[in-house]
Amino acid sequence: MTSRYRSSEPLNSLSPRRRTVVKAAAATAVLAGPLAAATTARAAEAPAFLHGVASGDPLPDGVLLWTRVTPVPEATPGSGIGPDTEVRWTVATDKAFTNVVAKGSTTATAASDHTVKADIRGLRPATDYWFRFSSGGTDSPAARTRTAPAADASVANLRFGVVSCANWEAGHFSAYRHLAARGDLDAWLHLGDYIYEYGTGEYGTRGTVVRPHAPAHEILTLADYRTRHGRYKTDPDLQSLHAAAPCVAIWDDHEIANDAWSGGAENHTEGAEGAWAARQAAAKQAYFEWMPVRPAVSGSTYRRLRFGRLADLSLLDLRSYRSQQVSVGKGSVDDPERTVTGRAQLDWLKAGLKSSDTTWRLVGNPVMISPFAIGSLTADLLKPLSELLGLPKEGLALNTDQWDGYTDDRRELLAHLRANAIRNTVFLTGDIHMAWANDVPVNAGTYPLSASAATEFVVTSVTSDNLDDLVKVPEGTVSAVAAPLIKAANRHVRWVDTDRHGYGVLDITADRAQMDYYVLSDRTKANATSSWARSYRTRTGTQKVERTYDPV
């Protein structure tokens, strides 16, 4: 915890950190008996910031701040109880809060699960700030955030952390800790599956639950989703990353339910698990309460951010509007009536890409847009691959949950890029629990004799099962066999790693966009180390990726 803040007090008179106070009170209780114990009990009733603080969606003049206050011990996430509580926020240019530039207050209520947001404006572009919250004599941890460059600014460099797919039960969030420790991020992108909806032991743990979910059952109600978000936000590595840089997040399916579409999900049984509309609404409400996200369209996460003249970032929602995935023997992936984006979102994306005047057009994309033909993978790999992708174990030909299942939308978008000579479009993707570096071909069947319309960097999972986890073999075993077969069947795929967990760091200059891929030593270890694995870049104007042999 940081020092308590009193605006009238000079820096050298700041009171001791609250953690120190609590420890001292506990020690006094042992020595001094009931009176000191009663004092400790009263201290425990003081408001607490147990779920960290966060910032998100940076603008040139502002940023969104978030926290959750626990006003009394029984006001746990999802409980729906607890008094209305004033929460103050302070923004400064320095960690010691000697130069305060903005402050204010809001009220945390049980109606919003005691989460609060403050949409701060009037800040300077491309500037680091420090912020914290206070309530009832308790201060939250202090955190760093950063505003985006001015819209017309000439920007030499941008650097983003990139992550996806964090299953609490499968391991620890060391990827977040290592990103936080860098200290050089303008922001970090979470491309989906920030939480998982399953009950304990039901998904992706190699048979061993490293740490159990809360609640233990599959989440269905608003209270359930709030409780699950609350459990995630207690993770120290996740808290450290939220405190290190602003987050830019979009959802994929597991924030709601596996393979979600506009009218249901693979992991939802209408009737037995209630109405889909009610579950979806509960999941989205909890998401917007618990995430530092500024919704652009009601009930959606699609929106656009700009980082000077160097890059803009279009963020997609590929769950709220999509048609149901086709299944084996039912429907056609080429049906023009089927959509992954919805008409309005696809038109918005196309218009934004066409009108963009930045050097780079980044697209935050929950599921892979590059075609992925299964090729000649052996039967022993097809079954775990099907399980990983959430597809039927028989008749697997392609992943119909990706853009592969909605080929008319992809055809229209890529044709738009080509017809309007839109260059330097880079899709940033999660979901598939593997790392990829891809060209995005207009016609995969004739590639590379035909054109590439864009490029795609796919990051692997933070903890969620890779293929080696599903097959239960040593790391790297599956990639050694599968990667050459995948590349042979998909000539636009420059690299794929099917086996390792980690994160990406995207570094952008006017000349190139480079993704450095980092991997973790062991997802089940809280102190897992991180090491650089590979780097790929796309140079301006090429619409192709190439390997580079050093991280930025």
Side-chain angles (χ1 to χ4, degrees), residues 484-506:
L485 296 174
I486 291 171
K487 290 175 66 177
N490 301 269
R491 288 170 290 186
H492 55 282
V493 173
R494 300 304 179 204
W495 177 63
V496 58
D497 182 344
T498 66
D499 290 3
R500 292 186 284 186
H501 305 279
Y503 57 94
V505 176
L506 180 72

Side-chain angles (χ1 to χ4, degrees), residues 74-418:
E74 59 269 23
T76 55
S79 66
I81 61 174
D84 291 359
T85 304
E86 183 187 19
V87 178
R88 299 178 301 282
W89 47 265
T90 307
V91 181
T93 57
D94 63 314
K95 191 175 183 179
F97 290 86
T98 57
N99 183 31
V100 173
V101 297
K103 58 183 178 179
S105 68
T106 186
T107 301
T109 70
S112 60
D113 208 21
H114 288 100
T115 63
V116 295
K117 293 181 179 180
D119 201 346
I120 312 300
R121 300 299 172 93
L123 303 179
R124 296 196 304 267
T127 301
D128 286 355
Y129 288 94
W130 291 85
F131 69 96
R132 64 185 173 196
F133 294 86
S134 306
S135 183
T138 303
D139 286 338
S140 77
R144 170 193 176 269
T145 190
R146 183 171 176 81
T147 52
D152 61 350
S154 177
V155 179
N157 171 264
L158 289 167
R159 189 166 294 167
F160 301 117
V162 190
V163 290
S164 74
C165 303
N167 180 13
W168 174 276
E169 295 205 328
H172 296 277
F173 294 161
S174 300
Y176 297 152
R177 182 178 74 258
H178 290 294
L179 275 173
R182 294 180 61 96
D184 63 354
L185 301 179
D186 292 285
W188 57 284
L189 314 182
H190 202 296
L191 298 171
D193 299 342
Y194 184 100
I195 66 168
Y196 278 75
E197 83 279 15
Y198 294 99
T200 287
E202 292 179 359
Y203 180 79
T205 61
R206 262 205 196 210
T208 302
V209 172
V210 176
R211 48 185 185 168
H213 279 315
H217 58 266
E218 183 179 332
I219 51 177
L220 300 170
T221 67
L222 177 58
D224 290 344
Y225 282 98
R226 285 170 164 176
T227 302
R228 186 66 56 88
H229 274 282
R231 171 56 62 92
Y232 267 70
K233 284 290 201 302
T234 64
D235 183 87
D237 295 333
L238 179 55
Q239 288 191 9
S240 70
L241 183 52
H242 273 303
C247 174
V248 178
I250 51 178
W251 60 46
D252 192 25
D253 52 342
H254 292 292
E255 285 86 351
I256 309 171
N258 182 57
D259 285 1
W261 57 285
S262 59
E266 179 277 332
N267 190 29
H268 181 78
T269 304
E270 194 81 17
E273 294 181 323
W276 169 250
R279 182 178 186 178
Q280 185 183 51
K284 289 184 175 184
Q285 179 178 332
Y287 185 89
F288 284 120
E289 289 171 348
W290 279 87
M291 295 295 291
V293 167
R294 188 185 291 115
V297 178
S298 179
S300 176
T301 56
Y302 81 78
R303 61 203 190 279
R304 185 172 290 115
L305 299 173
R306 182 182 174 101
F307 297 85
R309 299 182 65 86
L310 186 57
D312 55 31
L313 172 61
S314 300
L315 298 152
L316 302 185
D317 175 356
L318 300 186
R319 294 296 166 182
S320 296
Y321 313 105
R322 71 157 71 196
S323 309
Q324 185 173 9
Q325 299 88 340
V326 301
S327 56
V328 177
K330 295 181 180 179
S332 169
V333 297
D334 300 321
D335 183 349
E337 298 302 313
R338 300 183 67 262
T339 180
V340 68
T341 59
R343 184 72 257 166
Q345 185 176 195
L346 185 57
D347 288 344
W348 167 86
L349 177 59
K350 289 168 58 182
L353 293 171
K354 183 177 180 180
S355 64
S356 173
D357 63 352
T358 58
T359 302
W360 296 96
R361 279 149 288 280
L362 310 178
V363 182
N365 174 49
V367 297
M368 198 159 80
I369 191 168
S370 300
F372 171 31
I374 302 301
S376 55
L377 290 180
T378 55
D380 60 326
L381 291 179
L382 281 176
K383 184 175 180 180
L385 180 62
S386 300
E387 184 177 340
L388 175 63
L389 302 178
L391 299 173
K393 304 295 190 295
E394 67 285 339
L396 175 68
L398 73 169
N399 183 0
T400 60
D401 190 57
Q402 297 181 169
W403 287 75
D404 271 340
Y406 305 87
T407 60
D408 199 67
D409 277 1
R410 182 171 62 196
R411 178 203 55 76
E412 181 178 335
L413 178 58
L414 299 185
H416 175 76
L417 295 178
R418 294 287 296 165

Side-chain angles (χ1 to χ4, degrees), residues 444-506:
T446 58
Y447 196 75
L449 299 178
S450 55
S452 175
T455 54
E456 180 175 37
F457 297 124
V458 184
V459 293
T460 188
S461 61
V462 171
T463 59
S464 302
D465 270 4
N466 314 116
L467 280 184
D468 67 309
D469 297 313
L470 290 168
V471 181
K472 297 183 179 179
V473 295
E475 188 177 84
T477 305
V478 177
S479 266
V481 176
L485 296 174
I486 291 171
K487 290 175 66 177
N490 301 269
R491 288 170 290 186
H492 55 282
V493 173
R494 300 304 179 204
W495 177 63
V496 58
D497 182 344
T498 66
D499 290 3
R500 292 186 284 186
H501 305 279
Y503 57 94
V505 176
L506 180 72

Side-chain angles (χ1 to χ4, degrees), residues 18 38-48 69-75 83 85 135-136 138:
R18 188 169 190 275
T39 301
T40 306
R42 285 198 299 274
E45 293 287 331
V69 64
T70 304
V72 292
E74 59 269 23
T85 304
S135 183
T138 303

